[in-house]
């Protein structure tokens, strides 16, 4: 008996592994689909603007909205909130700090929509 059996060449081992992984009867391995004919493709839905244009417009819209929103929040806070007590001020700053998020998230969602 041999203590060290002779191993098969790496090429044949690789061929066996590939044959086990991708049998010739597998339609996916051969590049075919399950049903005959051309693959079904969804028609392109064009919004009129390409991704690059939406990102440019969305960036300027986000910056403009945040500037206007910050100025309005400062005006409302300075006029009606400051001096009314620490709890009212804290509640206002928490609400004002979170209120801009849905608007900006909507703009970002619109910007990043695929073509």
């Amino acid at each position: 008996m041999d203590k060290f059996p002779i191993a098969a060449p790496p090429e044949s081992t690789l061929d066996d592994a590939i044959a086990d992984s991708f049998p010739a009867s597998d339609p996916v391995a051969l590049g075919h689909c399950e049903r005959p004919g051309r693959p079904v493709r969804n028609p392109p839905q064009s919004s009129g603007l390409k991704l690059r244009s939406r990102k440019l417009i969305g960036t300027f819209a986000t910056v403009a909205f945040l500037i206007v929103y910050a100025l309005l929040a400062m005006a409302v806070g300075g006029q009606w909130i400051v001096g009314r007590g620490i709890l009212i001020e804290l509640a206002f700053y928490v609400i004002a700090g979170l209120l801009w998020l849905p608007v900006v998230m909507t703009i970002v969602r619109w910007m990043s929509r695929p073509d």
Side-chain angles (χ1 to χ4, degrees):
M1 287 180 113
D2 290 332
K3 287 186 175 183
F4 302 103
I6 298 174
E11 293 81 17
S12 67
T13 306
L14 182 61
D15 290 340
D16 293 340
I18 290 174
D20 290 341
S21 298
F22 299 103
S25 62
D26 185 10
V28 176
L30 296 175
H32 300 288
C33 61
E34 293 178 359
R35 52 181 189 213
R38 297 180 64 175
V40 177
R41 295 186 184 206
N42 296 332
Q45 298 174 351
S46 176
S47 65
L49 292 174
K50 297 289 183 189
L51 179 65
R52 189 172 179 160
S53 301
R54 284 195 309 267
K55 284 187 178 184
L56 178 68
I57 293 168
T59 300
F60 282 115
T62 301
V63 171
F65 169 74
L66 288 177
I67 289 171
V68 170
Y69 179 79
L71 291 173
L72 286 173
M74 287 189 307
V76 168
Q79 186 70 28
W80 292 308
I81 303 300
V82 174
R84 299 242 177 173
I86 189 74
L87 291 178
I88 293 176
E89 287 182 25
L90 181 65
F92 171 75
Y93 289 125
V94 167
I95 292 169
L98 295 174
L99 201 59
W100 62 275
L101 285 172
V103 176
V104 173
M105 286 171 42
T106 303
I107 294 172
V108 169
R109 193 176 304 122
W110 173 77
M111 284 171 31
S112 61
R113 194 174 60 195
D115 284 339

